[in-house]
Amino acid sequence: MGYILAADIGGTKLATALFKNDGTVVKTNESLSEKKDEELLFQCLVNSFRSLCINEGVNFDDINGIAVGIPGIVDAEKGIAVFQNNLPWRDFPLVERLESEFPQSKIMMDNDVYMATWGEYTTRGFSSETMVYVTLSTGISCCLIHQGLFLRGSGMAGEIGFSLTGTSDTSLETLVSGPALELKGRKQFNNPELSLKEMMVGYYQGNVHIARIINEAVTALAKEVYQILVFTDPHCIVLGGGVFNHHPTLIEAVRKEVGQYLSHPLLKGKEERIEASIYKGEAGIRGAASRIINIK
């Protein structure tokens, strides 16, 4: 029996999984991402892959394919991790290095958001539809698939974290990312240990100071989603990533606010196309597995 290894490497966690060739999940693993040393990060990835195989009694020679999703700028054709804002890789030859560890396997890599988008696209049974996936966690980014193909532009399509908000030069990421929200909360309450999880508890309990921070983020997100909707008119726009996955209330808040902007008769009701992620935290690794299965 053949197997596939998949990885989703984010700025916070490194998730890996072992799949059967038909896409069935055998085992998953999760650990913290190494943020300082490029070789240590690579070894963490390889060790996680090998651990999955050993623990499940799978021979390395039975691994037919490996797919890895990473954040930031990648050269998918050459297999190079060009620049990762929250990881230490710079022009790192990831595919070449993995080929030396698993010479019998077909190996591919791509941006992690593209992998997650593919997973959400295919699980909905889409093939010719247009879909946008927005991920909000350590950072914020998006990806668009149209008629089964990625919109890549010249290499950086979807980096909405750099979008400007309001009339200032403040970027979207500095307003809405998980670390940005934590930073604001810590300053507000003079508590350097305050976590986003604790802030959201306060938000649900009606804390007005926390609500002001979260509502500002919701408004910024809703305006960005509105722009995406009116510009691309997708069949579906998925809100995923750690923040949205753990707090679906925020998805509903964004959907409601977007609906207020869509007052024109031609636009009315399009907010219903905004959906939550189906795969949640597994979108990246499931999308990666689906990609390697499809190109084999």
Side-chain angles (χ1 to χ4, degrees):
M1 178 183 292
Y3 294 87
I4 291 167
L5 288 167
D8 178 20
I9 308 175
T12 302
K13 68 176 183 178
L14 188 162
T16 56
L18 177 68
F19 292 82
K20 293 181 182 178
N21 270 348
D22 63 2
T24 303
V25 179
V26 178
K27 185 73 173 179
T28 61
N29 187 36
E30 189 174 300
S31 60
L32 293 177
S33 292
E34 165 59 42
K35 297 185 178 182
K36 295 182 179 180
D37 187 285
E38 63 176 15
E39 285 298 326
L40 280 179
L41 177 58
F42 178 72
Q43 287 305 317
C44 286
L45 173 63
V46 171
N47 291 342
S48 186
F49 279 157
R50 292 188 177 277
S51 177
L52 283 171
C53 293
I54 292 170
N55 290 340
E56 296 302 315
V58 173
N59 192 301
F60 297 151
D61 291 335
D62 291 329
I63 301 299
N64 301 134
I66 297 175
V68 181
I70 60 175
I73 303 172
V74 303
D75 187 330
E77 289 188 5
K78 296 181 180 179
I80 297 174
V82 178
F83 181 88
Q84 285 63 55
N85 193 45
N86 297 305
L87 294 174
W89 284 335
R90 300 292 183 270
D91 294 316
F92 190 82
L94 181 58
V95 168
E96 179 183 322
R97 293 292 303 276
L98 284 172
E99 286 174 342
S100 68
E101 299 285 343
F102 302 91
Q104 78 290 343
S105 303
K106 182 175 184 61
I107 298 170
M108 68 161 294
M109 60 163 285
D110 208 333
N111 177 273
D112 59 344
V113 181
Y114 282 62
M115 293 295 200
T117 305
W118 185 257
E120 294 289 335
Y121 190 82
T122 54
T123 197
R124 285 171 169 77
F126 288 168
S127 58
S128 61
E129 291 82 357
T130 301
M131 192 194 87
V132 179
Y133 176 83
V134 177
T135 178
L136 175 61
S137 53
T138 306
I140 180 168
S141 183
C142 79
C143 175
L144 185 150
I145 297 180
H146 175 62
Q147 295 186 345
L149 298 174
F150 291 110
L151 174 64
R152 294 183 182 271
S154 60
M156 285 188 63
E159 293 296 333
I160 59 174
F162 294 108
S163 296
L164 299 181
T165 59
T167 57
S168 71
D169 59 356
T170 304
S171 71
L172 185 65
E173 187 160 312
T174 60
L175 274 181
V176 307
S177 68
L181 293 175
E182 285 184 336
L183 181 61
K184 289 184 179 183
R186 290 168 181 176
K187 286 182 178 180
Q188 173 70 48
F189 295 99
N190 193 28
N191 178 358
E193 303 299 324
L194 185 66
S195 68
L196 180 58
K197 182 179 180 180
E198 292 169 324
M199 288 177 63
M200 291 307 297
V201 171
Y203 174 72
Y204 297 135
Q205 292 175 344
N207 184 297
V208 294
H209 300 293
I210 293 177
R212 188 177 301 115
I213 294 171
I214 301 300
N215 290 340
E216 181 184 30
V218 166
T219 295
L221 285 164
K223 289 180 177 178
E224 188 70 26
V225 170
Y226 168 80
Q227 295 294 341
I228 293 171
L229 277 170
V230 297
F231 183 67
T232 64
D233 194 25
H235 296 85
C236 175
I237 180 166
V238 178
L239 303 187
V243 176
F244 281 133
N245 291 340
H246 288 105
H247 304 287
T249 299
L250 297 182
I251 296 176
E252 182 54 41
V254 169
R255 184 188 293 118
K256 182 177 180 181
E257 186 148 347
V258 170
Q260 294 175 1
Y261 304 151
L262 299 171
S263 57
H264 193 282
L266 292 176
L267 304 176
K268 212 164 184 60
K270 288 184 184 288
E271 73 275 8
E272 296 304 320
R273 300 179 186 182
I274 300 171
E275 299 181 6
S277 166
I278 292 175
Y279 281 141
K280 308 297 184 187
E282 293 187 349
I285 52 175
R286 286 186 177 269
S290 179
R291 288 284 300 283
I292 198 72
I293 289 170
N294 286 344
I295 66 172
K296 285 176 59 184

